[in-house]
Amino acid sequence: MKKIFTCLALFFLSIGLHAQENLDYQKPPKEILDLADYERAPSVSMDTKKEYMLLSYRNTYKNLDDLNQEEMRLGGLRINPITNISSTVTYLNNLKVRKINAKNEIQVAGLPKNPKISNISWSPNEQYISFTNTTKSGVELWYLELATAKATKLTDDNLNANLGNPVSWFKDSQSLLIKTLPSKRAALIDDKKDIPTGPTVSESEGKVSQNRTYQDLLKNKTDEANFESLVTSELYTVTLSGSKKIFKEAAIYAGETFSPDGNYVMITTLEKPFSYIVPLNRFPQSTIIYDATGKEVKKVNEVPLNEIMPKGFMSTRTGKRNMSWRNDAPATLYFVEALDGGDQANEVPFRDEVFLWEAPFNSSPKSLVKTKQRFAGIRWGNATTAILMDRWYDTRNMKTYLIDPSVEGANPKIIWDRNYQDQYNDPGNFEMKKNDLGSYVLAIEKGKMYLLGDGFTKEGQFPFIDELDIKTLKTKRLYESKLENKKEDLLSIEDLKKGEVLVMIQSKNEYPNYYFRNLKTKKLTAITSFENPFENLNNVYKEVITYKRSDGVTLSGTLYLPVGYDRVKKDKKLPLLIWAYPREFKDKNSAGQTTQNPNEFTFPYYGSFVYWVTRGYAVLDDASFPIIGEGTTEPNDTFIPQLVDNAKAAIDAVDNLGYINRSKVGVGGHSYGAFMTANLLTHSNLFACGIARSGAYNRTLTPFGFQSEQRNYWDVPEIYNTMSPFMNASKMKTPLLLVHGEADNNPGTFTLQTERYFQALKGLGAPVRMVLLPKESHGYVAEENILHLLWEQDQFLEKHLKN
């Protein structure tokens, strides 16, 4: 009997060892590690006069210790209840200042030891920068004086940053409005020790609603109490000299914005009842205008709990929404109200109406304009000039209007009526500048406005600056970038008269750096000189290739070939890796446009396969995978055949160049790209293996829409089932590496999706490996996890593709 027991124990032990591999963290091979282990260049921020530059430094990666912190997941938030700031924040660890016309940066003096800096904000006069520092027990407020490059601490570590940046500047640039922990704060409840007094009950009133699958929601009364305790704050005014006084008593402050003249502040609070099925942005809200001393002026909005939403991306809630200050006026609110009951299915002549409401808000709001499609934003200019946009998702249509805000009805004149996915005909973005009130408005000079565009064309990318005549609505090209073997991004117009523009220039091997370009003299003046940390890729071949799929749609991808590969002899057939992400379109023209530039700096990171060009693979990065549904046909109606056609066209294109062994092709993707990968391995025999990271594989677990699908499961069950790799797991026989962060916070991509898909594939005998990365959310950030991920992928590819 003892012998039989021993044999059984050894048998089950062998199964466990085969099924479960307990690995320590590994590092990828040297070729990949040399690229992954680099020092990140600082981020750059400049004042509007381009006198000072702030350089912000952070570690290249977080580490597991950064992720291994106290965390509560409530109402869609992830909060560290000890420090009272988001547990997902990425901290800066150093600040430097430089005068733009100087050569050397100055180390900011007085910073805290081992700083954890976040929430950087320039003062209205741009002489100071506020920031927070997170200690072991809370969040402090600091400020930096640019002229002296000296940092000063203003408060203890009692700020409440659980709802985002807890700091707003007053207009005088000498005072700040801050959110602090309440003096009488309710203690948090440990739900593991707390004995429930009853069950958790939810009930439907029988109204149709379509809510997506949100993560980190409230689940019970304990969650409600803890959420309320964590997000409740008191508002204080603190001066740069350190004096502090109460501004408003404790409440759940969710947003504070000052009017352009600084005389009023609009404050939004969250109210009860809370919800267990939607996140906090759909909880009840109240918005009140106060003067700069904290005296209430007017309650301007009340929004009830928003759990019931009509179907469709163009549906919205009823009541006042998009409430904000008009940038070109001292203190005027604007807001929007739906005219179709918020339901896109209702046929009405106008969808939305825009209103203006002047301080002190004693009179009724005035109608400004009605939009035929859903309101999509407004750019204020001056008393008689503004730009209005409306859009409609189902047709991908966007209209841009010139309006006169001084006229009731606003006299809208259409400037552009276009498909917003049509990149080749994108007119660009309007140049904005700071006005006398310190707010950004349209840059208008002598009846002209200005547009900065990306400049994608069939022949390549040529960024441009256009001048738009307000009277004729005609454009005139002022500048078009045609740098050879370089990419120039036009960032802002600094001086129209002098013709000075702020640009960023890069190339395949040149790190992106900032320059001033003079359009008249063509002179370039360097501002930064960041070096290339990836010199090992300098001699890698890089080319944007274009090709067609079977229905004639033009596709593209960025092709990389290893150093030294002979493209003439082609005597060695390489294994190929394809990295892609499907995107939905309503027309073939837009779907077939190329927006990749071979002169863009090659920046390898864990979200692509570029690393593996150093390991002897050909790589087709960001391969086009359009899913098209023209007219009344939805893209997903033919998702699988289009997916396979995209993949076959990509492989054919590189194979026709003579570079690859088409029997050794791997495919990979993240999120919806992971969903794509699983479907390609299931429904085609084009690939030798695949890598799918942080995906969703069972669409019945996202029954009220996913990605760009508006229809619910009960509308089109065959679409949901056909598109679900889980439902077709019995067909999948190709080696697959599944990766997921164990704490995924993205709607729909629950970690459970990968776990259940793995169990299905394993049970059906498919060759599959699952790796769950500890503490990671939808995107991966810890160095240990990222390096191990690269090792896992390399081991998998060497086993199933190269050898």
Side-chain angles (χ1 to χ4, degrees):
M1 185 72 178
K2 182 177 180 181
K3 182 177 180 181
I4 295 174
F5 178 80
T6 302
C7 290
L8 286 172
L10 289 171
F11 172 74
F12 285 115
L13 180 61
S14 69
I15 291 179
L17 289 173
H18 178 72
Q20 192 70 37
E21 187 176 353
N22 295 315
L23 271 178
D24 291 333
Y25 279 110
Q26 303 292 311
K27 292 183 178 181
K30 185 177 186 304
E31 301 96 320
I32 293 177
L33 185 60
D34 286 348
L35 294 172
D37 186 14
Y38 72 98
E39 185 174 344
R40 181 185 294 272
S43 299
V44 175
S45 176
M46 305 180 198
D47 65 4
T48 55
K49 295 179 180 179
K50 300 301 180 285
E51 294 178 355
Y52 284 97
M53 178 167 60
L54 177 71
L55 295 99
S56 307
Y57 297 80
R58 69 178 178 92
N59 293 329
T60 302
Y61 306 106
K62 292 185 178 183
N63 56 45
L64 278 176
D65 187 55
D66 295 325
L67 303 189
N68 190 33
Q69 56 181 292
E70 294 288 329
E71 182 178 70
M72 300 185 77
R73 304 174 184 180
L74 301 167
L77 299 174
R78 293 193 171 185
I79 291 170
N80 183 322
I82 306 300
T83 57
N84 290 290
I85 192 170
S86 170
S87 57
T88 65
V89 67
T90 297
Y91 292 110
L92 304 169
N93 58 25
N94 196 15
L95 299 175
K96 294 181 181 180
V97 171
R98 201 190 94 187
K99 283 192 173 182
I100 288 182
N101 58 8
K103 291 185 178 180
N104 299 317
E105 60 269 11
I106 301 171
Q107 173 62 52
V108 171
L111 290 175
K113 186 178 180 181
N114 300 319
K116 289 186 173 182
I117 296 168
S118 58
N119 298 311
I120 286 179
S121 178
W122 290 71
S123 66
N125 65 8
E126 298 184 318
Q127 295 178 15
Y128 308 100
I129 293 174
S130 64
F131 62 91
T132 61
N133 175 58
T134 302
T135 70
K136 291 183 178 180
S137 56
V139 178
E140 306 167 330
L141 173 61
W142 290 65
Y143 80 94
L144 160 65
E145 185 178 30
L146 286 158
T148 61
K150 181 182 178 182
T152 303
K153 179 181 172 182
L154 277 181
T155 73
D156 294 330
D157 55 0
N158 68 335
L159 270 63
N160 191 341
N162 287 327
L163 286 179
N165 189 350
V167 181
S168 301
W169 282 96
F170 279 85
K171 183 73 172 180
D172 62 4
S173 294
Q174 296 296 308
S175 307
L176 302 103
L177 184 65
I178 64 173
K179 288 190 266 193
T180 69
L181 303 177
S183 55
K184 296 180 180 179
R185 191 188 199 194
L188 297 177
I189 302 170
D190 186 345
D191 59 355
K192 294 179 181 178
K193 297 179 181 179
D194 186 53
I195 298 175
T197 59
T200 299
V201 178
S202 298
E203 186 175 3
S204 169
E205 297 179 354
K207 296 180 180 178
V208 175
S209 181
Q210 184 149 321
N211 292 316
R212 296 221 167 181
T213 47
Y214 299 107
Q215 304 258 32
D216 304 335
L217 298 176
L218 303 179
K219 298 179 180 67
N220 50 49
K221 290 294 182 182
T222 298
D223 280 356
E224 288 193 57
N226 285 337
F227 173 80
E228 185 173 10
S229 177
L230 286 166
V231 297
T232 297
S233 304
E234 292 174 339
L235 291 181
Y236 277 83
T237 299
V238 60
T239 67
L240 296 187
S241 62
S243 64
K244 180 180 171 184
K245 64 178 181 180
I246 188 74
F247 187 83
K248 293 304 297 178
E249 64 282 354
I252 304 177
Y253 296 107
E256 309 83 40
T257 57
F258 283 91
S259 59
D261 65 5
N263 293 330
Y264 301 91
V265 58
M266 178 170 61
I267 297 179
T268 298
T269 56
L270 298 183
E271 312 288 341
K272 293 181 178 179
F274 302 147
S275 172
Y276 295 177
I277 64 173
V278 293
L280 78 163
N281 64 311
R282 290 171 63 177
F283 291 0
Q285 300 177 14
S286 177
T287 300
I288 298 176
I289 305 297
Y290 300 89
D291 67 19
T293 67
K295 180 181 178 182
E296 182 173 335
V297 176
K298 181 79 171 182
K299 178 179 284 190
V300 293
N301 201 14
E302 283 188 287
V303 180
L305 177 63
N306 181 22
E307 290 185 335
I308 308 298
M309 281 287 289
K311 184 167 58 178
F313 293 159
M314 288 293 95
S315 291
T316 187
R317 66 171 177 82
T318 56
K320 300 183 184 74
R321 69 179 203 279
N322 296 94
M323 182 172 281
S324 187
W325 295 106
R326 177 174 168 175
N327 291 2
D328 63 334
T332 297
L333 290 172
Y334 75 93
F335 60 87
V336 183
E337 289 198 49
L339 298 175
D340 57 4
D343 190 344
Q344 70 172 55
N346 293 332
E347 295 293 334
V348 293
F350 295 99
R351 293 287 176 179
D352 280 331
E353 187 170 10
V354 184
F355 293 87
L356 296 177
W357 203 358
E358 293 185 15
F361 315 105
N362 293 327
S363 59
S364 298
K366 295 180 180 179
S367 174
L368 174 64
V369 67
K370 295 178 181 180
T371 64
K372 293 184 177 181
Q373 302 183 122
R374 193 65 73 204
F375 174 81
I378 194 163
R379 302 285 183 269
W380 298 103
N382 55 37
T384 60
T385 307
I387 297 294
L388 173 74
M389 292 153 287
D390 64 19
R391 66 189 288 267
W392 200 250
Y393 174 79
D394 297 62
T395 58
R396 310 301 196 270
N397 179 263
M398 174 174 282
K399 292 180 176 64
T400 304
Y401 308 85
L402 176 70
I403 63 171
D404 182 349
S406 67
V407 176
E408 187 173 352
N411 225 7
K413 299 176 182 177
I414 291 182
I415 307 175
W416 302 295
D417 183 350
R418 56 184 295 271
N419 181 332
Y420 59 76
Q421 291 184 314
D422 181 0
Q423 297 294 317
Y424 289 174
N425 291 295
D426 188 343
N429 297 312
F430 283 97
E431 173 71 356
M432 310 293 284
K433 69 174 184 179
K434 266 193 174 183
N435 62 7
D436 294 339
L437 294 167
S439 298
Y440 281 95
V441 296
L442 293 165
I444 303 173
E445 293 286 342
K446 297 180 180 179
K448 306 290 195 300
M449 294 187 288
Y450 301 88
L451 293 150
L452 278 62
D454 291 328
F456 292 111
T457 72
K458 292 181 180 180
E459 291 74 33
Q461 185 179 6
F462 307 100
F464 62 83
I465 300 175
D466 278 355
E467 177 184 85
L468 175 70
D469 188 296
I470 292 176
K471 288 185 177 180
T472 66
L473 300 183
K474 292 182 179 180
T475 58
K476 175 185 176 183
R477 181 85 16 124
L478 299 181
Y479 174 73
E480 187 171 81
S481 176
K482 293 186 177 181
L483 294 183
E484 187 174 354
N485 298 323
K486 293 181 186 291
K487 178 177 184 281
E488 179 178 23
D489 294 300
L490 306 172
L491 304 180
S492 61
I493 301 172
E494 297 304 315
D495 191 317
L496 283 166
K497 293 180 180 179
K498 294 181 180 179
E500 289 187 351
V501 180
L502 178 67
V503 304
M504 178 183 286
I505 296 177
Q506 59 190 293
S507 75
K508 167 182 170 287
N509 296 327
E510 294 178 22
Y511 196 89
N513 277 289
Y514 294 91
Y515 297 81
F516 285 129
R517 173 179 288 285
N518 189 292
L519 301 183
K520 296 180 179 180
T521 65
K522 310 301 180 186
K523 181 182 177 182
L524 273 176
T525 303
I527 301 173
T528 61
S529 55
F530 302 130
E531 296 182 355
N532 178 5
F534 310 115
E535 291 186 352
N536 290 356
L537 294 177
N538 280 359
N539 295 319
V540 164
Y541 178 77
K542 180 179 181 180
E543 176 189 3
V544 173
I545 63 171
T546 59
Y547 47 95
K548 292 184 183 295
R549 73 181 191 185
S550 60
D551 60 358
V553 175
T554 300
L555 307 178
S556 63
T558 303
L559 178 66
Y560 298 85
L561 298 176
V563 173
Y565 181 78
D566 194 326
R567 293 186 296 115
V568 177
K569 292 183 179 179
K570 306 171 186 175
D571 52 356
K572 183 180 180 182
K573 300 298 184 182
L574 304 172
L576 172 66
L577 295 175
I578 298 175
W579 188 268
Y581 190 94
R583 290 177 172 84
E584 294 83 357
F585 295 86
K586 286 301 291 181
D587 70 294
K588 291 181 179 180
N589 175 58
S590 300
Q593 296 179 358
T594 300
T595 58
Q596 298 178 60
N597 190 327
N599 300 316
E600 188 170 13
F601 179 68
T602 302
F603 201 120
Y605 75 114
Y606 83 92
S608 79
F609 278 145
V610 173
Y611 288 115
W612 277 269
V613 74
T614 66
R615 297 280 286 161
Y617 296 81
V619 176
L620 187 65
D621 190 43
D622 196 18
S624 298
F625 268 69
I627 308 297
I628 307 165
E630 295 187 305
T632 58
T633 302
E634 289 295 323
N636 285 339
D637 292 349
T638 53
F639 179 83
I640 300 299
Q642 289 196 66
L643 207 63
V644 174
D645 282 352
N646 290 328
K648 184 177 184 303
I651 296 171
D652 287 344
V654 186
D655 188 31
N656 290 338
L657 293 172
Y659 301 149
I660 65 166
N661 179 347
R662 69 176 302 138
S663 68
K664 292 188 174 184
V665 182
V667 63
H670 190 93
S671 193
Y672 207 54
F675 176 71
M676 169 204 75
T677 297
N679 268 308
L680 284 171
L681 300 193
T682 300
H683 298 287
S684 78
N685 58 2
L686 296 169
F687 297 98
C689 63
I691 298 175
R693 301 198 319 234
S694 297
Y697 308 102
N698 183 348
R699 298 274 59 130
T700 69
L701 297 180
T702 55
F704 288 106
F706 58 89
Q707 200 69 7
S708 296
E709 178 57 67
Q710 302 180 83
R711 300 167 296 183
N712 64 44
Y713 173 78
W714 296 273
D715 291 332
V716 283
E718 68 284 356
I719 299 295
Y720 276 68
N721 289 324
T722 301
M723 290 179 67
S724 294
F726 181 87
M727 302 301 186
N728 298 278
S730 60
K731 301 176 183 177
M732 224 293 287
K733 304 300 180 185
T734 306
L736 175 63
L737 175 61
L738 289 168
V739 183
H740 216 117
E742 71 158 6
D744 197 320
N745 60 342
N746 187 54
T749 55
F750 299 91
T751 307
L752 181 69
Q753 287 267 10
T754 287
E755 292 173 323
R756 291 293 182 263
Y757 186 43
F758 169 76
Q759 290 167 357
L761 293 174
K762 180 176 180 295
L764 292 166
V768 61
R769 179 180 177 88
M770 180 177 68
V771 178
L772 299 182
L773 300 176
K775 310 291 183 179
E776 295 287 2
S777 298
H778 192 61
Y780 315 145
V781 295
E783 181 177 11
E784 299 92 331
N785 283 327
I786 289 173
L787 295 183
H788 184 84
L789 167 71
L790 297 176
W791 177 84
E792 286 280 0
Q793 293 185 165
D794 187 73
Q795 294 288 306
F796 181 81
L797 294 171
E798 291 288 300
K799 177 180 179 180
H800 295 290
L801 195 60
K802 183 180 282 188
N803 298 324

